[in-house]
Amino acid sequence: MLNICLVGSGGVGTIAALVLEQSRQARVTAVLRSKYAIVSEKGVDITSVDHGEVTAWKPYRIVPSIASAIPDDQNGAYDFLVIAVKALPELMRSLTKDISPLITPRKTAILLLQNGLGIEAPLSEQFPSNPILSGVSMIGSRFTSARTVYHEDPDELKIGAYFHHESSLPREEQARAARCFVEAYSAGLADATAKGTGASCILVDDIVAARWRKLLWNGTFNTLCTLLRISVGELIRSPGRDTLLKPAMREMVAIAKAAGYGHVVDEAVVKQTLEGTPGTSAFRPSMLVDLENGRPIELEVILGAPLSVGRKLGVSTPVLDQVYALLCVVQWTLTRGP
Ligand SMILES: NC(=O)C1=CN([C@@H]2O[C@H](COP(=O)(O)OP(=O)(O)OC[C@H]3O[C@@H](n4cnc5c(N)ncnc54)[C@H](OP(=O)(O)O)[C@@H]3O)[C@@H](O)[C@H]2O)C=CC1
Ligand SMILES: CC(C)(CO)C(=O)C(=O)O
C-alpha cells in the first residue's frame, strides 16, 4: 500500500484521492480544512463522468490541518505528497514551508497537480533530495456545495518527473517515483477506462513540454474569457476570436518556440484549437470561475510566467502584455481587502 497525503482537497484533489483509493494500491490522508467537519460526518457525494454516482465517500483518513497529517508511529512516512491547491505565489510560498514535516528526505515524492508554468522550481529548491513530479490535468471537476463534487470532463492526466538536482537524486530514482504513481493511478482508472469514458493517466518524458502545450489554452482562453466574462463558446463566436484570441495564441507559440518548445505548439496547433472549439460551448475556464466566486486568479503561473520567459528571450507580445496588465488590475480588485 502506498501511503499518500493530499493537500488541496478541491475539485481536482478529491477526484485524485478517489482514483488512488479505487486502485487498492494506496491509502490517502486528505487535509480538508474548511470542509473537515461536514465531510468527516457525511462524506462527499460525487457525480462523475468517469466513476458514476459515488455517495458519502471518504478517503482512508481525513485531517483538519497539515500539522495533523504529520507522520507518526501509526501513520508512517508518506510515499507521495500530492499538492492540488490553486497555484498562487503567496499560498505556494507558505505551503512549501508548511509541508516540510510531511516530507521524508529521499522517500516522499512530491506531485504538483496544478496549472501553470515554473511551479516546480521552488519545491525542487526546498526539497533537493526528494523526487518532484509534475501533473498536467485536463479535467473538469468542482465542488458545487461543501460536500458535493461535480466531475464533468474525463480525467486526462499526464505525469512526469521534473528531473532536478540530478547530483543529489539519480534520474532513475525520480523516474521510478513517476512510474509508480502512474501505475497506481491507472489501476484506479481501470473501471473508467473499461467504460471508455476517455480517462487516462500517462507517463511523459518531458512534462515541461506538456505544460507549454496546455498553456496555449490556459494562457489565452482562461485569460480572455476572464477579462471579458464570457464562455469559451462566446469568445469563439465573438469578433475577439480573430482580434484577440488568435493573436494571443500566436504570441504564446512564439514564446514557446523561443524557449525550445516549438515542437509542441505551432501554427497547426493554433488552427486545430480554434477550429476544434465549438462556438456552442458554454464552458467557463477555471480562472473565470475563480473571478465569479471572488477568489484570486492563477494569473502569475498561467500568464506572468510565460511572459517573463518571453521578455528574457526578446519575444514581442503586445496583446498578451495588455491582457496581463488588465488582469493585474482584476487581481487587485480580488485581493485588496475591504
Ligand atoms: N478544477 C478543474 O477542473 C481543474 C483545475 N486545474 C488546476 O488544478 C489545481 C487545483 O484546482 P481545483 O481543484 O479546481 O481547486 P479548488 O479551489 O477546487 O480546491 C483547492 C483546495 O485547496 C485547499 N487549500 C487551499 N489552501 C490550502 C492550504 N494552505 N492547506 C490545505 N488546503 C488548502 C482548499 O481548501 P479550503 O476550502 O479549506 O480553502 C480547497 O479545497 C489548480 O492549479 C487548477 O488550475 C487544472 C485542470 C482542471
Ligand atoms: C483547460 C481546462 C479546462 C482543463 O481542465 C483548464 O485547465 C481550466 O479551465 O483552467
Side-chain angles (χ1 to χ4, degrees):
M1 272 287 169
L2 296 172
N3 190 14
I4 299 181
C5 182
L6 167 69
V7 176
S9 303
V12 167
T14 301
I15 297 299
L18 173 72
V19 171
L20 289 163
E21 296 233 330
Q22 279 184 173
S23 75
R24 301 189 186 280
Q25 296 178 18
R27 56 166 205 253
V28 178
T29 295
V31 177
L32 254 110
R33 276 189 1 167
S34 71
K35 303 181 190 81
Y36 174 75
I38 184 128
V39 175
S40 301
E41 193 193 336
K42 297 182 171 163
V44 186
D45 290 346
I46 301 170
T47 299
S48 164
V49 62
D50 290 335
H51 312 289
E53 297 294 327
V54 183
T55 49
W57 180 79
K58 293 181 194 178
Y60 167 77
R61 188 163 75 117
I62 300 172
V63 294
S65 63
I66 290 176
S68 43
I70 295 174
D72 53 24
D73 290 346
Q74 213 186 335
N75 303 283
Y78 294 112
D79 299 295
F80 292 94
L81 175 74
V82 177
I83 298 180
V85 301
K86 284 278 160 69
L88 299 165
E90 232 170 87
L91 167 58
M92 288 309 293
R93 253 192 301 278
S94 59
L95 199 68
T96 303
K97 291 200 190 90
D98 296 345
I99 58 170
S100 271
L102 308 184
I103 308 294
T104 304
R106 295 204 75 93
K107 177 176 174 72
T108 312
I110 303 167
L111 167 65
L112 298 172
L113 277 189
Q114 295 172 307
N115 270 335
L117 186 73
I119 57 174
E120 304 90 350
L123 274 297
S124 69
E125 271 158 38
Q126 183 77 18
F127 304 104
S129 71
N130 295 83
I132 306 296
L133 311 182
S134 188
V136 175
S137 174
M138 289 298 288
I139 192 173
S141 175
R142 63 196 144 87
F143 267 83
T144 48
S145 81
R147 55 171 297 274
T148 51
V149 171
Y150 183 55
H151 170 200
E152 58 184 327
D153 293 319
D155 195 354
E156 291 176 55
L157 183 57
K158 290 181 182 152
I159 303 268
Y162 181 59
F163 293 125
H164 66 297
H165 297 296
E166 285 180 45
S167 52
S168 59
L169 191 65
R171 195 179 167 92
E172 181 44 37
E173 232 176 274
Q174 303 178 49
R176 197 179 314 127
R179 243 186 344 261
C180 171
F181 190 90
V182 168
E183 276 164 22
Y185 205 94
S186 301
L189 285 179
D191 283 356
T193 317
K195 279 190 276 176
T197 64
S200 63
C201 177
I202 58 171
L203 181 66
V204 297
D205 287 337
D206 188 348
I207 196 66
V208 178
R211 289 205 168 274
W212 277 106
R213 175 67 185 84
K214 193 171 181 208
L215 263 194
L216 180 68
W217 206 94
N218 290 137
T220 57
F221 274 103
N222 283 43
T223 54
L224 288 168
C225 290
T226 302
L227 262 187
L228 301 166
R229 296 184 184 235
I230 56 177
S231 69
V232 162
E234 286 172 303
L235 179 57
I236 286 287
R237 292 200 308 274
S238 78
R241 176 193 187 274
D242 292 331
T243 56
L244 293 165
L245 182 61
K246 200 186 214 178
M249 282 187 166
R250 287 184 167 155
E251 289 179 10
M252 195 59 91
V253 167
I255 307 172
K257 207 169 165 186
Y261 293 93
H263 57 294
V264 284
V265 282
D266 57 15
E267 186 60 28
V269 181
V270 170
K271 188 167 180 284
Q272 184 194 325
T273 309
L274 288 172
E275 288 172 5
T277 308
T280 50
S281 171
F283 187 77
R284 302 179 92 73
S286 61
M287 189 181 274
L288 174 57
V289 174
D290 283 337
L291 169 67
E292 289 174 335
N293 285 293
R295 297 186 297 242
I297 53 176
E298 291 175 297
L299 177 60
E300 290 313 317
V301 295
I302 285 178
L303 191 52
L307 282 181
S308 115
V309 172
R311 257 192 313 278
K312 279 188 202 128
L313 297 170
V315 181
S316 164
T317 49
V319 174
L320 287 176
D321 287 345
Q322 285 305 308
V323 170
Y324 177 72
L326 290 162
L327 284 172
C328 282
V329 181
V330 171
Q331 185 78 298
W332 174 78
T333 66
L334 291 165
T335 54
R336 68 182 150 172

